[in-house]
Amino acid sequence: MPRIKILGGTGFRSALYASLAFALATLCLSVFVYHEVKDSLYGELQNQIQKDVYLLQKTYRENGHSALIKHVQTVENQQMRTPKLIGLFDEDQSKLGGNVEQMPEFNGWSHTSHTVSFNTGGSPYYAFSTTIGRAKMVVGQPLGLIAPTLKSLFWLLILASALAIITALSIGYWASRRDSIKLKGIVDTLHAVSNGDITARIALAGTDDQINQVSRQINHNLDRLSSLMDNTRHTATAIAHDLRTPINRASLMLQEARQSVNKQAIDSESMIELAENELANVSDIFDTILRISQVSISEDTKSFELLSLPEIAEEMVQTYQPVAAERNIILMFVVDQSVEYKLHGDKNMLRQALVNLIENAITYCPEGADIAVKVFNNEEQLLSLDVSDNGPGLTEEGLERALELFYRENASRESPGNGLGLALVKAIATKHRATLKLRNLNPGLSCSLTFPKRELI
Amino acid sequence: MKLLLCEDDQTTLEFILKGLTEIGHTVETVTDGREALSHCLYSQYDVIILDRMLPGMDGLSVLKSLRATNNTTPVIFLTAMADVEDRVEGLLAGGDDYLVKPFQFSELMARITALSRRPPTAEESHFLQVHDLQLDLLSRVASRAEQPIALLPKEFSLLELLMRNQSRIVTKTMILEQVWGFNFNPKTTVVETHISRLRSKIDRPFDVALLHTCRNSGYSIRAPH
């Protein structure tokens, strides 16, 4: 895997930001610790020096100049091999006592840089110099361990920070690499899918992290996509197959019309009209297929409103009663008027579903049959719409396959209908989250739509 | 009448152009959406026939831009089925109409006529009359030769639609859309059946027939010459 991808990963980037923040915090902390330690070490030295200075001043105050010289010399003798610094000089810079050879030029506190002027072997001192009477006194303590201690403290803090940053970055790199491997799996899968392998799915491995959740959703979408693709492929095949017939017929009729025009026969116009009807049929099939796909694909329900199902059903029954009467079929509407049957739905779609069901019944029932359109609450108190007749019903195969596109029980192309009516009803039902059930009543067929419980608004 | 026809398919364009010119309309044609808009802005037309899919600028955008300039020329939209419900219907204003492709030329003609003769201000009369047939829209009473005729609600709506368009052809699709609110083609003879019922009530008992079937195009109600 390219390193650049890992370094660009979120895991690594978060680790990078975290370690930058950490480094900044460590820097501040280090500066603080360093100064605290330095201050307390110097403070301790100052205490010791001030104690010595105080003792010498006390000797001078109580016993005078010569006692001071003696005191210094005593201290020097006691301290010969200890690293303490002590010196006393006259006004003319001549040494009166102590282990310092040359009078320092400073007054007050001074740092190691001035200790080079002390001829005591070159090790650094921290010293205090002041005048005492006519003499000048200097007292110091070796810096000894302070400088190396501070130095190692400094490097220790740097090292600790560096270690922490490296660790954070390593963890980030590892996390980013792990994510990159998973993301690569997603990319590879999507690539395979776009290259036509619609069965490819992302492998879910390891802990259930956010990437796995995303992967699962992508797999879910791919499942849906492949089922839609299957559907589309099936539809396309069915369309190609079913449209050939009317187009063939139209073309035959047009050929015949041309011949009859040549022969000066009179029926050319009726032939052309038949061809037109066939083409109208083709365009009708396209319309219906487009409607079905439009209803099934679109997820939006903004056309939904609160409707009274009996109102729509009654209007459709009244519309079709005269049509049924022409075939001596009685079309009835059955509803308990005292109950309100409301639902959320699309008025146009529900009208179309009812029209398709009623027209199916009128078309396939023999003369003199009865058709009933019922609106009621079923055993589970769910709103139901039922269109049933006492006609021939369907065969077992027909019951199973009636909702398929282009399925017709009597497969002869001469029989009326295009085998799309129920498929459209099914799509409309699904859009309303309703179930469409067909069953034989022996005799007769019942098509019923059962709507889900209406959500409270 | 002066019409603007915007259609990018040359065959369809020539077919419609020929048909409309033959019945005496002046037709200007464009094949590009942007061109259509500039024509609409610089000339006055009685009706604009606009294809939904146009190169340059699609039909809906042309319509929207046109309406944004307060141009109220009626527009007939030519559209594919899939667009009707969710997109086109909602955008069309009162003076507009749409036709789903493929369509019969007679259908387009009937709609152009219906749109162009609609009075610009809807000065609605409550009383319609054709020969001796009268329709009172307020009391919802129909009568012919002073004899009241009992009509079912849908029969009344059907008669009202025909009488509002008297002497003009009302197509089957227009009837389905305006009387029943159907935007689909039923497989059975709903319209024919209802027309024949209506005819048996308003024409059969009388000497002169007012309701005429125009073969292959629709129905028309008119007074005898």
Side-chain angles (χ1 to χ4, degrees):
Chain A
M1 187 175 320
R3 181 134 300 149
I4 187 87
K5 274 193 180 165
I6 298 171
L7 298 183
T10 37
F12 185 76
R13 245 180 310 149
S14 337
L16 188 67
Y17 296 145
S19 35
L20 281 178
F22 184 76
L24 201 69
T26 316
L27 186 73
C28 295
L29 188 72
S30 304
V31 169
F32 178 73
V33 167
Y34 184 84
H35 278 281
E36 279 297 302
V37 170
K38 192 175 159 187
D39 284 355
S40 76
L41 287 174
Y42 274 96
E44 185 56 32
L45 276 185
Q46 281 177 347
N47 270 344
Q48 287 178 17
I49 292 168
Q50 272 167 342
K51 216 155 68 191
D52 285 342
V53 171
Y54 175 73
L55 281 172
L56 291 167
Q57 281 172 336
K58 197 180 165 201
T59 307
Y60 175 72
R61 261 201 319 277
E62 286 170 4
N63 303 312
H65 187 66
S66 52
L68 176 66
I69 295 173
K70 204 176 272 168
H71 187 156
V72 169
Q73 282 165 352
T74 321
V75 174
E76 187 205 347
N77 290 336
Q78 281 171 359
Q79 303 278 326
M80 267 320 263
R81 265 173 293 162
T82 66
K84 190 190 271 184
L85 200 72
I86 192 158
L88 195 65
F89 297 91
D90 209 348
E91 287 162 316
D92 58 356
Q93 299 191 11
S94 63
K95 180 177 165 186
L96 296 173
N99 53 8
V100 183
E101 295 306 324
Q102 214 176 346
M103 192 183 88
E105 280 153 16
F106 64 86
N107 275 315
W109 295 101
S110 179
H111 269 104
T112 48
S113 56
H114 288 93
T115 58
V116 287
S117 59
F118 295 137
N119 193 9
T120 53
S123 62
Y125 282 86
Y126 189 53
F128 183 76
S129 166
T130 183
T131 47
I132 186 164
R134 15 188 199 93
K136 186 169 184 174
M137 172 182 74
V138 61
V139 176
Q141 286 283 349
L143 277 173
L145 290 171
I146 290 185
T149 303
L150 284 177
K151 205 170 168 185
S152 52
L153 177 70
F154 176 76
W155 286 112
L156 209 70
L157 288 171
I158 295 274
L159 188 72
S161 305
L163 267 177
I165 289 168
I166 288 169
T167 312
L169 288 180
S170 308
I171 291 171
Y173 184 82
W174 174 76
S176 188
R177 191 179 135 81
R178 201 194 48 173
D179 287 356
S180 281
I181 290 170
K182 285 186 169 182
L183 290 174
K184 186 172 185 298
I186 295 177
V187 170
D188 288 349
T189 307
L190 292 180
H191 193 246
V193 171
S194 71
N195 279 342
D197 178 12
I198 191 71
T199 58
R201 293 293 180 272
I202 302 159
L204 299 173
T207 50
D208 191 31
D209 55 10
Q210 284 162 329
I211 293 186
N212 272 10
Q213 287 165 20
V214 171
S215 304
R216 203 170 300 116
Q217 187 56 43
I218 292 175
N219 281 349
H220 180 72
N221 289 0
L222 288 174
D223 287 345
R224 170 104 176 108
L225 195 66
S226 78
S227 98
L228 282 176
M229 269 176 73
D230 278 351
N231 205 346
T232 313
R233 203 170 293 147
H234 176 80
T235 311
T237 319
I239 292 171
H241 185 261
D242 256 67
L243 286 188
R244 205 176 291 147
T245 317
I247 290 173
N248 268 345
R249 275 196 267 173
S251 124
L252 285 175
M253 284 160 189
L254 287 173
Q255 282 174 37
E256 208 174 321
R258 193 179 54 192
Q259 281 163 10
S260 53
V261 167
N262 291 343
K263 285 185 217 143
Q264 303 280 312
I266 38 163
D267 66 342
S268 57
E269 193 177 337
S270 68
M271 273 297 159
I272 292 172
E273 201 182 316
L274 283 174
E276 276 179 350
N277 287 345
E278 288 295 344
L279 290 176
N281 189 23
V282 171
S283 120
D284 226 43
I285 290 176
F286 270 118
D287 276 4
T288 314
I289 289 167
L290 285 171
R291 264 173 214 279
I292 292 174
S293 63
Q294 195 189 357
V295 170
S296 0
I297 287 166
S298 125
E299 303 248 318
D300 105 75
T301 52
K302 64 170 183 287
S303 61
F304 277 35
E305 53 186 330
L306 194 61
L307 301 167
S308 159
L309 188 57
E311 230 168 70
I312 299 175
E314 190 167 16
E315 195 190 327
M316 292 306 110
V317 168
Q318 280 171 1
T319 301
Y320 277 91
Q321 267 164 347
V323 181
E326 286 190 337
R327 303 197 60 222
N328 284 322
I329 292 172
I330 295 170
L331 176 61
M332 286 170 293
F333 178 53
V334 184
V335 69
D336 179 353
Q337 298 285 3
S338 64
V339 185
E340 250 200 357
Y341 300 97
K342 298 254 179 179
L343 86 161
H344 260 290
D346 179 306
K347 198 191 253 173
N348 281 335
M349 287 188 198
L350 291 173
R351 273 190 192 138
Q352 168 128 50
L354 261 160
V355 166
N356 284 12
L357 292 176
I358 295 173
E359 287 194 332
N360 266 355
I362 293 178
T363 312
Y364 295 106
C365 280
E367 290 217 359
D370 295 327
I371 301 168
V373 176
K374 285 174 266 182
V375 175
F376 59 100
N377 280 328
N378 73 358
E379 314 84 65
E380 292 157 41
Q381 291 305 307
L382 295 175
L383 177 57
S384 306
L385 170 75
D386 181 89
V387 178
S388 46
D389 59 56
N390 57 0
L394 286 169
T395 59
E396 280 306 307
E397 196 205 355
L399 272 185
E400 253 174 55
R401 299 187 51 197
L403 302 182
E404 287 177 18
L405 287 184
F406 298 112
Y407 178 78
R408 271 177 298 170
E409 177 123 297
N410 182 354
S412 121
R413 309 265 174 226
E414 299 300 330
S415 65
N418 50 26
L420 293 171
L422 278 178
L424 181 52
V425 176
K426 168 78 182 158
I428 292 171
T430 309
K431 177 94 180 174
H432 288 78
R433 293 191 288 129
T435 50
L436 170 62
K437 225 175 238 144
L438 307 183
R439 66 199 159 89
N440 273 324
L441 299 171
N442 301 315
L445 180 71
S446 144
C447 305
S448 56
L449 282 168
T450 308
F451 294 91
K453 264 208 169 60
R454 185 156 65 85
E455 301 90 356
L456 294 169
I457 312 154
Chain B
M1 227 188 298
K2 193 178 170 197
L3 308 173
L4 179 67
L5 171 61
C6 323
E7 163 67 62
D8 63 323
D9 180 60
Q10 206 58 39
T11 315
T12 313
L13 183 91
E14 274 162 22
F15 177 76
I16 300 177
L17 176 64
K18 186 164 162 279
L20 291 174
T21 318
E22 268 172 13
I23 54 173
H25 293 305
T26 312
V27 187
E28 288 178 19
T29 60
V30 289
T31 53
D32 176 281
R34 274 190 285 265
E35 226 182 301
L37 184 60
S38 59
H39 270 75
C40 295
L41 293 177
Y42 296 112
S43 318
Q44 271 296 319
Y45 298 98
D46 295 301
V47 174
I48 298 162
I49 305 156
L50 196 57
D51 189 41
R52 164 84 175 76
M53 302 291 273
L54 284 172
M57 189 175 179
D58 76 285
L60 275 180
S61 310
V62 174
L63 178 64
K64 274 191 238 170
S65 318
L66 195 61
R67 292 293 180 249
T69 62
N70 287 329
N71 185 323
T72 53
T73 313
V75 169
I76 295 180
F77 235 73
L78 306 180
T79 171
M81 192 62 242
D83 281 326
V84 174
E85 272 147 57
D86 48 335
R87 309 227 25 213
V88 178
E89 260 180 1
L91 276 157
L92 296 185
D96 303 325
D97 202 352
Y98 69 87
L99 256 187
V100 175
K101 282 181 171 183
F103 51 86
Q104 296 276 319
F105 183 71
S106 56
E107 186 78 42
L108 177 66
M109 233 164 64
R111 285 175 194 248
I112 290 174
T113 316
L115 270 188
S116 58
R117 290 205 197 152
R118 198 171 283 174
T121 45
E123 198 188 291
E124 294 284 300
S125 161
H126 303 302
F127 198 74
L128 297 171
Q129 178 154 16
V130 176
H131 192 52
D132 54 352
L133 176 63
Q134 297 180 328
L135 206 59
D136 187 331
L137 298 176
L138 272 185
S139 57
R140 300 193 73 76
V141 172
S143 62
R144 186 164 175 191
E146 319 256 294
Q147 295 174 39
I149 303 169
L151 292 177
L152 293 171
K154 291 292 173 193
E155 288 168 346
F156 190 91
S157 313
L158 178 55
L159 185 58
E160 183 188 337
L161 173 67
L162 289 164
M163 287 178 76
R164 276 188 192 282
N165 292 286
Q166 57 175 292
S167 306
R168 306 200 293 256
I169 295 171
V170 178
T171 67
K172 206 173 124 183
T173 321
M174 287 160 83
I175 292 173
L176 284 167
E177 280 170 8
Q178 292 175 42
V179 176
W180 281 280
F182 287 2
N183 52 9
F184 52 91
N185 239 341
K187 303 280 168 295
T188 52
T189 54
V190 194
V191 175
E192 292 85 339
T193 306
H194 282 269
I195 287 282
S196 117
R197 291 226 159 188
L198 182 64
R199 186 173 271 145
S200 74
K201 288 183 179 178
I202 62 159
D203 269 355
R204 202 151 301 153
F206 303 92
D207 294 334
V208 183
L210 302 175
L211 178 51
H212 303 274
T213 304
C214 313
R215 206 164 160 270
N216 287 333
S217 44
Y219 304 91
S220 161
I221 207 160
R222 60 175 181 265
H225 297 296

